[in-house]
Amino acid sequence: MNYQIIYKAANSYEAHFIKGLLERYSIESKLLGGNLSVGIGELPIDVLQVDILVPKNQIEKSRNIISDYENNLLSNKNKGNWACPSCKEMNPLSFEICWNCK
Ligand SMILES: [Zn+2]
């Protein structure tokens, strides 16, 4: 099956989060880049950007899911809070890093 890049995650935590999001909609995605063969617990926060790939016939559906995800992040920011992309905890605007998972 042909895969196409749908999103470039800033780090492997965000990539795994979006992969999990897509799986909830029965979309199987692949991650490329970073150093994903290493256990995620050992990765530094700022690993290389990670490409997320989905099957070409799922592109449209995946785009909708990811834009919903991005809109959620934005609207939470507008309320003064932001959602952590890896653990989904809400953080106050004044927090630079997630209080829950750092
Ligand atoms: Zn977090």
Side-chain angles (χ1 to χ4, degrees):
M1 198 180 291
N2 279 327
Y3 279 73
Q4 195 169 322
I5 294 174
I6 179 118
Y7 191 77
K8 290 180 182 297
N11 55 55
S12 67
Y13 291 98
E14 188 183 32
H16 281 278
F17 175 76
I18 289 173
K19 184 174 167 57
L21 200 64
L22 293 170
E23 272 167 12
R24 269 189 254 158
Y25 295 87
S26 308
I27 298 172
E28 188 161 340
S29 56
K30 293 184 177 185
L31 305 180
L32 267 189
N35 191 2
L36 296 171
S37 58
V38 179
I40 192 162
E42 302 165 34
L43 287 177
I45 295 286
D46 296 315
V47 293
L48 296 174
Q49 180 174 281
V50 182
D51 293 338
I52 300 171
L53 292 82
V54 297
K56 273 186 175 163
N57 60 356
Q58 303 272 37
I59 283 276
E60 283 304 314
K61 199 175 167 191
S62 307
R63 278 204 182 112
N64 290 336
I65 294 165
I66 290 175
S67 71
D68 276 356
Y69 156 74
E70 288 182 317
N71 287 339
N72 265 337
L73 285 187
L74 284 179
S75 65
N76 284 326
K77 265 182 194 159
N78 289 341
K79 284 178 225 151
N81 296 324
W82 54 277
C84 175
S86 47
C87 71
K88 290 167 77 178
E89 281 297 334
M90 293 304 299
N91 290 279
L93 196 57
S94 56
F95 282 39
E96 295 262 25
I97 53 171
C98 176
W99 62 267
N100 185 45
C101 67
K102 314 291 186 222

